[in-house]
Amino acid sequence: MNGRPLEPLFPPQSAVRFALIALVFVVAMSRLAAIPGQPWEQDEALFAAAAFNTNIIEHRPHPPGFPLWVAAAKASNMVLGDPLLGLQLLSALSSIALLPLLALLWGRLLGPELGLAASALFAFLPGVWFHAPRAFSTTPAVAIAALAGLLWLAPGRGRLLAGSVAMACAVLVRPVLAPPLVVAGIAAAWLRRDRIRDVVLSGVLAAGVILAGFLPLIIDTGGLGPFLDALAAHGTYQERNVGLVTWTAGRLGIVRAVGGPPAAVLALALGVLGWLGLVRRHRRVAWGLALVTIVAAAWLLLAHNRTYTRYTVPWLALWVGLAVLGIVRLVGSRRYALIAVAVLTTAAAAWTLPAIASQATAPFPPLAALSAAQTSGSARSIITDGGISPFVDLLSLARRGSRPTYWRPLLLDGRQDARSIRGPWTYTWAEGTRPALVPAPAPPPRVFQCRETRLVYLSQQRYLTAWSASRGAIVLGPAHLLPAAGGRLAIKGKVDLLAQPTPPGSWLGAVFSVRGRPASVSLELDQREILSTELPPGTHVYRIPLRDHVVSDAKRTAIVSILRHGDDGGDLELRHLWIDAPGRPVGPRMIPATALPNGLSGLIDGDGLYGLEQLGEPPRPARWTGPRAWLSIPAGFPRISIALCAPRPGGARVRLRTEPLGSEITVVVGPQWTTAELSLPRAAGRCVLSLEVLDPFVPAKADPSSTDHRRLGVVLGNIRFDEVR
């Protein structure tokens, strides 16, 4: 190499060596304490699932496969019984090893002190630290590549061959890095000026190692033809999706990986300044490094999702040393440069720490939703949708969770039988997936969300919100049909929906809206017609008792078909569909007085109540009843608590009754709020709550100055359901 000779390795007993040992300890603690123990992204779940069943055609993992990383997953499963944890540990250990490897590598170019400073800064860059304890293959591949680079900087035929084997192993860990790694090997051969025979031998050796690593995977896929077909199919998918990814500067992964646009501009400027200084010191090394860096940047930006921060780790390892050298040139002193790098490293660590802490301790939303469904007392099956399938696949292969789990796309194409699902079910999905749920009026889907802003910023920004719902219906067909925002489903022909089971005593509820001209529609439950009508413009609520509907298995899910007749009617939408089944406590826990008597989009029905007022002691939103009132409500819960008061002379005696008969009580209430509790009928999905006031009064008769001539009974507040009898 022309220019100055390379710097020596760390001298024994030097302060730099002791600083390196101390920093290794700090980095080790920062990595091992941050292992999340759960996947936060699809690829982590796919790598771990491959330990149980490798199949690149089914993207376990995705083509071209990651032979050495999958082998590590299988070994981890045998040793630890948990491939995900094993891969996270290996990635964390690789990140720890990167500190001395990069310190030695950059130390040969910049000197030991600056090499260590560059390595420490790299270790705590947001995108690097955030992904270090994860099950991705990027960090281990970079660590092995750094070892190869370190070997190539030393003379000798043995170091050349060892470096080539290491680089081949890096390709086997993460094959998608092959182009920049191959260019790095070519640049190393150009810099070293070895004999042609040795260079050819090193290339043949590397190719042999790569081929030997891929051969079992190719055989397992069914041969070279199926392997190449899977690779081509994934390449087409990748090309189509990468073309849709934004080029907005603030969204680029390389910008977010260093903490934002200001930090990215600073890093870029310092790197260019440092490279100009490196040209003066080691011209051939500088141009070789420039070639590898440019190829890596182009490959990561053009052939990958350029918004993902984890893809930028290899490029940051190449750039950080140049940025440190740029700081030296900027401040004009190595001592002040070391202080500046220490400040930047501390700032980067402090900026990233909230994301690291949240990632290590917070539950990943889709897994939290799945876990809640697994532990739910009512759900017997789980139906998932969209991109969370790899997490479900991992849980299934690892045999975690006793509830059978179904993926909606497989229900659509018939590979899973919707009619065999045992209910009740819980439906789960995550952001990025348009849900196929036509909801019940209440309660709304349960939300699981990660709110830590730094974690969101550094992540791939998907799956950080998940939902689960146990009421409503799931669209089964046509396959392309999905509800609009709010769950409104346009009905243009025949639509099939998966509903909850309908044991004896169940009711089916449906809410339709029509715009323009009338529309004709019919409903079928398990291929038996239960409603056929013409709907005029407006909103229409139906609550259909299913007492004549006979089912062979009361725990099997029901198929509801909605058929629109004719094409000349108005716009028809299904807004809500639900089943009120006996003994199924999955409905709303609270019905506020504001929703009485006809609220929650048709879930509640009733009569005999006056308008909303502030009543009682203390005052709260409530409604006066007349002498008699009734409400039709879901009866899935075993007990109901009713808030009552009577701000009137002498209080009020009220008789409360549920029909079909669950219980009947008579209570005396005064101006203070009190609670009346009734049991609900076990054998009915809906019931009628009747209130009869035995001594109604007219305010104008009790107080001549009053202008209120209403016949009043009792004040009705919120209604609460309870699972405990």
Side-chain angles (χ1 to χ4, degrees):
M1 300 180 189
N2 59 355
R4 299 182 185 180
L6 297 179
E7 300 283 348
L9 296 175
F10 296 167
Q13 304 300 320
S14 68
V16 177
R17 179 164 293 192
F18 288 117
L20 173 61
I21 295 172
L23 279 172
V24 166
F25 177 79
V26 172
V27 171
M29 293 299 100
S30 72
R31 269 50 176 176
L32 297 177
I35 292 176
Q38 61 181 343
W40 278 82
E41 244 308 320
Q42 271 191 352
D43 285 357
E44 294 181 275
L46 293 172
F47 287 138
F52 301 98
N53 183 4
T54 305
N55 188 334
I56 66 169
I57 295 176
E58 295 184 0
H59 283 209
R60 199 184 301 123
H62 61 70
F66 299 71
L68 203 52
W69 196 233
V70 171
K74 294 181 177 181
S76 299
N77 191 38
M78 289 188 293
V79 174
L80 301 176
D82 187 342
L84 178 73
L85 178 60
L87 293 180
Q88 290 173 335
L89 280 169
L90 287 174
S91 181
L93 293 173
S94 298
S95 183
I96 297 168
L98 259 173
L99 182 75
L101 288 172
L102 280 183
L104 292 169
L105 188 60
W106 279 111
R108 297 301 306 273
L109 299 176
L110 309 179
E113 296 86 355
L114 292 179
L116 181 58
S119 183
L121 177 58
F122 171 80
F124 289 102
L125 287 175
V128 175
W129 188 11
F130 184 72
H131 294 100
R134 303 273 292 276
F136 293 121
S137 60
T138 306
T139 301
V142 173
I144 298 173
L147 175 62
L150 191 61
L151 290 169
W152 281 335
L153 285 179
R157 183 171 180 263
R159 299 294 180 91
L160 172 66
L161 298 179
S164 299
V165 171
M167 192 61 73
C169 291
V171 171
L172 291 175
V173 169
R174 185 161 181 78
V176 292
L177 286 180
L181 291 177
V182 169
V183 171
I186 295 172
W190 176 62
L191 290 170
R192 290 174 54 89
R193 296 180 176 178
D194 290 292
R195 292 184 299 177
I196 297 298
R197 183 175 61 184
D198 292 340
V199 173
V200 172
L201 178 61
S202 67
V204 171
L205 181 60
V209 171
I210 293 172
L211 180 60
F214 269 102
L215 188 59
L217 181 61
I218 294 172
I219 295 173
D220 186 60
T221 308
L224 186 60
F227 178 83
L228 293 177
D229 289 343
L231 185 60
H234 182 68
T236 301
Y237 167 83
Q238 188 77 357
E239 181 181 5
R240 182 176 64 251
N241 284 275
V242 168
L244 301 175
V245 177
T246 180
W247 279 95
T248 303
R251 293 287 310 281
L252 294 179
I254 189 61
V255 173
R256 294 189 290 123
V258 295
V265 172
L266 177 63
L268 181 63
L270 290 174
V272 172
L273 185 62
W275 182 81
L276 293 175
L278 188 63
V279 169
R280 297 182 179 181
R281 298 162 59 95
H282 304 290
R283 180 178 297 274
R284 288 175 64 87
V285 172
W287 283 108
L289 183 60
L291 176 64
V292 177
T293 303
I294 292 172
V295 170
W299 180 248
L300 295 172
L301 289 172
L302 298 176
H304 294 70
N305 189 318
R306 61 190 68 92
T307 65
Y308 290 176
T309 56
R310 64 184 173 99
Y311 291 156
T312 66
V313 173
W315 190 87
L316 291 172
L318 294 168
W319 195 258
V320 68
L322 296 176
V324 169
L325 185 57
I327 294 174
V328 175
R329 296 195 68 198
L330 186 66
V331 301
S333 165
R334 284 183 169 244
R335 179 180 178 183
Y336 290 138
L338 291 173
I339 295 174
V341 173
V343 171
L344 290 175
T345 302
T346 304
W351 189 94
T352 313
L353 186 59
I356 298 297
S358 182
Q359 178 178 259
T361 58
F364 180 50
L367 292 180
L370 291 169
S371 176
Q374 286 284 355
T375 56
S376 169
S378 60
R380 292 179 179 270
S381 301
I382 302 171
I383 301 172
T384 64
D385 211 344
I388 65 174
S389 59
F391 308 107
V392 177
D393 191 32
L394 174 59
L395 294 175
S396 176
L397 291 170
R399 297 183 179 180
R400 296 178 183 175
S402 58
R403 310 284 168 84
T405 303
Y406 303 85
W407 192 36
R408 194 183 76 93
L410 298 184
L411 297 175
L412 295 178
D413 63 17
R415 283 183 284 173
Q416 291 179 339
D417 185 9
R419 298 181 184 274
S420 67
I421 298 175
R422 305 281 284 179
W425 45 257
T426 296
Y427 177 57
T428 62
W429 71 98
E431 64 178 329
T433 296
R434 189 171 157 189
L437 181 73
V438 177
R446 187 178 175 186
V447 181
F448 303 82
Q449 190 171 32
C450 174
R451 298 179 181 274
E452 212 299 308
T453 55
R454 300 282 170 81
L455 187 151
V456 174
Y457 187 78
L458 291 172
S459 72
Q460 294 183 194
Q461 299 183 344
R462 57 182 185 175
Y463 313 131
L464 297 181
T465 303
W467 295 265
S468 69
S470 298
R471 280 172 68 81
I474 303 170
V475 179
L476 290 180
H480 67 276
L481 185 63
L482 286 172
R488 302 185 309 275
L489 184 67
I491 308 296
K492 298 183 181 298
K494 180 182 179 182
V495 178
D496 292 325
L497 301 106
L498 183 72
Q500 296 285 11
T502 56
S506 297
W507 292 61
L508 183 145
V511 179
F512 292 96
S513 66
V514 179
R515 289 178 297 178
R517 290 177 292 178
S520 297
V521 65
S522 61
L523 265 72
E524 294 180 356
L525 179 62
D526 293 332
Q527 300 182 340
R528 179 180 178 183
E529 187 175 276
I530 58 174
L531 174 70
S532 181
T533 186
E534 182 174 87
L535 302 175
T539 300
H540 308 276
V541 181
Y542 291 92
R543 305 173 194 85
I544 305 170
L546 304 178
R547 50 181 172 266
D548 297 328
H549 179 68
V550 179
V551 294
S552 58
D553 185 352
K555 295 180 180 178
R556 182 176 59 81
T557 53
I559 305 296
V560 177
S561 298
I562 302 176
L563 297 87
R564 175 177 179 152
H565 306 291
D567 299 326
D568 56 348
D571 295 332
L572 175 64
E573 284 186 339
L574 175 66
R575 303 186 65 177
H576 299 287
L577 192 141
W578 73 97
I579 300 293
D580 286 322
R584 185 186 299 160
V586 294
R589 297 299 184 96
M590 175 76 73
I591 301 175
T594 54
L596 302 174
N598 305 103
L600 298 182
S601 298
L603 185 68
I604 310 300
D605 186 25
D607 199 6
L609 277 70
Y610 292 104
L612 193 68
E613 303 176 58
Q614 290 288 328
L615 299 167
E617 296 180 10
R620 66 176 67 165
R623 297 178 187 270
W624 278 105
T625 72
R628 290 181 176 84
W630 63 270
L631 294 169
S632 174
I633 58 177
F637 288 86
R639 190 172 68 181
I640 184 174
S641 298
I642 306 159
L644 299 169
C645 73
R648 44 171 278 190
R653 295 178 66 241
V654 58
R655 179 185 297 141
L656 298 99
R657 175 187 176 93
T658 57
E659 299 175 4
L661 185 61
S663 62
E664 179 179 333
I665 61 173
T666 300
V667 297
V668 177
V669 295
Q672 301 286 342
W673 285 103
T674 187
T675 300
E677 295 183 351
L678 292 90
S679 60
L680 294 176
R682 290 176 177 268
R686 292 185 70 87
C687 74
V688 174
L689 170 66
S690 300
L691 298 90
E692 181 182 2
V693 178
L694 304 179
D695 50 351
F697 89 114
V698 178
K701 290 184 178 181
D703 180 4
S705 64
S706 174
T707 59
D708 189 350
H709 294 274
R710 296 177 299 174
R711 296 191 70 209
L712 302 179
V714 70
V715 172
L716 179 61
N718 296 341
I719 297 175
R720 188 182 74 249
F721 295 97
D722 200 333
E723 294 188 40
V724 181
R725 288 197 179 275

